[in-house]
Amino acid sequence: MHMKPKVREVAVRFFIGLDKNRQVNFELWKEAQVYGDIQLLPFVDYYSLLTLKTIAICIMGVRTFKYL
């Protein structure tokens, strides 16, 4: 028996911190405007700031989405 897959609405977001290079940031901003799936974070993205990035993702999720 073949089961039909359930259809769900899923929001996809890419959380990206800023780059030291302004041109890279500008290109990211333009792509975020086009596709709407990039969330730019207000700090330079370093591995050592992964905890801060995780907290920012949680805050954004709680403020934005109805169901988590």
Side-chain angles (χ1 to χ4, degrees), residues 2-19:
H2 180 68
M3 300 295 287
K4 197 173 184 182
K6 293 181 181 179
V7 177
R8 297 181 184 189
E9 291 184 28
V10 177
V12 176
R13 297 272 188 243
F14 299 95
F15 291 84
I16 302 172
L18 299 173
D19 194 273

Side-chain angles (χ1 to χ4, degrees), residues 19-50:
D19 194 273
K20 292 181 193 176
N21 183 318
R22 285 180 178 231
Q23 184 62 33
V24 171
N25 292 330
F26 180 67
E27 294 298 325
L28 283 170
W29 180 82
K30 287 193 316 187
E31 190 166 331
Q33 298 301 310
V34 170
Y35 298 105
D37 60 355
I38 295 175
Q39 180 67 42
L40 292 173
L41 302 173
F43 51 82
V44 177
D45 206 346
Y46 290 108
Y47 183 78
S48 60
L49 294 176
L50 192 56

